[in-house]
């Protein structure tokens, strides 16, 4: 649980008043990489002995798996068809999906963040403070901010504005509590991508990781930046085109985020759970089974990756080293075409006008 140790060290830095971005912990010398607001939330991790803290993360992350399944079913309209024994079986399977398993092993917060985002996005359109939780998630770990851009482009302006205001509030809170760390992070640390880790190792399942390994270049530069910019623009455009009452746009935004981030560790891909729910809801059980098999296979862990071997993989091992970004690149056009042409797609609970009992279309919608 290396990441749990990083979170605890961040909390200790806040309590002791030491440099938040000046320490490294564990044998891998992992530093703090999240905004100061996240460090404030990690203060409670200092209240427990380390064994108890690890147990709390283990139990908490395991308990979040059925919650994620529930929210995924709510997003895709599967909830009415889910029975308790289905949820138990799905939880047992989901625990072995590589991103979920690695999140638990590392003691990560990915499951909590995805649940927070999905809970917010699947609330009724007129819910008070809708977008607030998304903004808080972006304040903890910057990558969810991509969803705010998606909401603006989709015409869900009130929700996006609330999320943006909440995100700004997290920055302000961090500045008030940790002014020096806030200046350090937003003027310096946020631009130090290499601080998070080496982009070319097989752990990194982003577009940059794929390109770096394929070109045998530790820093692919424009060879990555240009495709990433094109992918970002295409992903946002496809997500915006998704019909407002369908969940396609959310998953398109999630896959795009994972692709374009400089580093998307394999455990960041816990979005595979709602992705599988979407494929099942869309009537693609065979494709869902194939995607589940890919996330169970752990092919990149089977390759030689000690030292700099990740940069010297032969051509035939490249697909095994980058299964997640290759899958996402294939699914972006598929989700935008097949799913949007279905004549019957389950409507998420968030888009149901409970007061009239009918569906309605709202306004246009480091290792750590």
């Amino acid at each position: 649980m290396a990441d749990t140790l990083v979170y605890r060290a961040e909390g200790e830095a806040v309590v002791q008043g030491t440099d938040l971005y000046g320490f490294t912990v564990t044998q891998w010398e992992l530093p703090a990489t999240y905004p100061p607001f996240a460090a404030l939330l990690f203060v409670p991790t200092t209240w427990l002995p380390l064994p108890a803290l690890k147990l709390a993360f283990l139990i908490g992350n395991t308990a979040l798996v059925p919650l994620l399944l529930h929210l995924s079913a709510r997003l895709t309209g599967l909830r009415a068809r889910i029975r308790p024994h289905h949820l138990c079986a799905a939880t047992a399977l989901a625990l072995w999906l590589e991103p979920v398993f690695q999140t638990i092993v590392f003691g990560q917060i990915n499951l909590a963040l995805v649940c927070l985002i999905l809970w917010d996005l699947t609330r009724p359109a007129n819910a008070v403070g809708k977008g607030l939780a998304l903004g808080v998630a972006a304040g903890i770990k910057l990558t969810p901010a991509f969803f705010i851009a998606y909401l603006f482009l989709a015409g869900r302006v009130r929700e996006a504005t609330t999320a943006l205001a909440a995100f700004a509030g997290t920055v302000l809170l961090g500045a008030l509590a940790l002014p020096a760390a806030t200046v350090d992070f937003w003027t310096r640390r946020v631009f130090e991508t290499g601080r998070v880790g080496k982009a070319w190792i097989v752990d990194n399942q982003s577009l940059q990781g794929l390109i770096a390994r394929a070109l045998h270049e530790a820093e692919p530069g424009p060879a990555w930046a240009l495709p990433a910019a094109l992918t970002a623009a295409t992903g946002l455009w496809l997500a915006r085109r998704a019909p407002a009452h369908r969940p396609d746009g959310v998953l398109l935004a999630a896959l795009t985020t994972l692709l374009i981030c400089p580093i998307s560790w394999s455990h960041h891909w816990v979005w595979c759970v709602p992705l599988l729910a979407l494929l099942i809801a869309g009537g693609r059980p065979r494709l869902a089974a194939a995607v589940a098999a890919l996330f169970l296979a752990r092919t990149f862990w089977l390759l030689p990756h000690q030292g700099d071997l990740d940069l010297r993989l032969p051509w035939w091992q490249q697909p095994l080293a980058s299964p997640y970004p290759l899958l996402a690149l294939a699914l972006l056009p598929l989700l935008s075409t097949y799913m949007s042409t279905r004549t019957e797609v389950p409507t998420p609970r968030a888009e149901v006008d409970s007061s009239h009992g009918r569906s309605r279309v709202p306004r246009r919608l480091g290792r750590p």
Side-chain angles (χ1 to χ4, degrees), residues 79-294:
R79 194 175 65 156
R81 292 184 256 169
I82 296 294
R83 298 292 182 268
H85 62 282
H86 295 152
L87 185 61
C88 289
T91 300
L93 173 64
L95 285 169
W96 288 101
L97 296 171
E98 191 271 345
V100 177
F101 185 83
Q102 292 296 99
T103 290
I104 296 174
V105 168
F106 287 134
Q108 254 283 345
I109 59 171
N110 302 307
L111 289 168
L113 290 178
V114 173
C115 286
L116 192 62
I117 294 168
L118 283 183
W119 172 79
D120 201 1
L121 292 177
T122 57
R123 297 170 68 203
N126 59 351
V128 176
K130 185 172 171 65
L132 182 66
L134 173 59
V136 171
I140 297 172
K141 194 171 186 175
L142 297 179
T143 48
F146 192 83
F147 286 94
I148 302 178
Y150 155 66
L151 292 176
F152 272 118
L153 289 175
R156 298 162 64 172
V157 178
R158 187 183 68 168
E159 188 177 346
T161 303
T162 302
L164 187 60
F167 172 66
T170 66
V171 176
L172 178 60
L173 183 58
L176 292 174
L178 302 168
T182 298
V183 172
D184 187 20
F185 180 82
W186 292 106
T187 62
R188 179 183 173 193
R189 305 300 183 179
V190 70
F191 304 107
E192 295 178 350
T193 305
R195 179 182 178 83
V196 182
K198 298 180 178 66
W200 46 268
I201 60 178
V202 292
D203 312 46
N204 181 23
Q205 291 292 300
S206 72
L207 189 60
Q208 180 174 215
L210 183 157
I211 294 174
R213 289 187 292 270
L215 298 180
H216 310 290
E217 291 284 348
E219 298 181 5
W224 161 72
L226 295 177
L230 179 61
T231 301
T234 303
L236 280 173
W237 179 69
L238 293 175
R240 182 184 181 279
R241 288 180 63 246
H245 63 290
R246 299 179 184 178
D248 312 24
V250 174
L251 269 299
L252 285 167
L255 292 178
T256 302
T257 302
L258 291 166
L259 280 171
I260 67 173
C261 282
I263 292 182
S264 292
W265 301 127
S266 68
H267 52 75
H268 293 170
W269 288 77
V270 289
W271 282 98
C272 64
V273 175
L275 171 62
L276 290 170
L278 179 66
L279 294 175
I280 294 171
R284 300 297 296 266
R286 292 183 180 178
L287 179 58
V291 171
L294 182 143

Side-chain angles (χ1 to χ4, degrees), residues 3 11 28 37 40 97 106 110 122 174-175 194 218 221 290 293 302 330 340 349:
D3 292 337
W28 300 283
F37 173 72
L40 297 176
L97 296 171
F106 287 134
N110 302 307
T122 57
L302 303 177
S340 62
R349 186 186 71 86

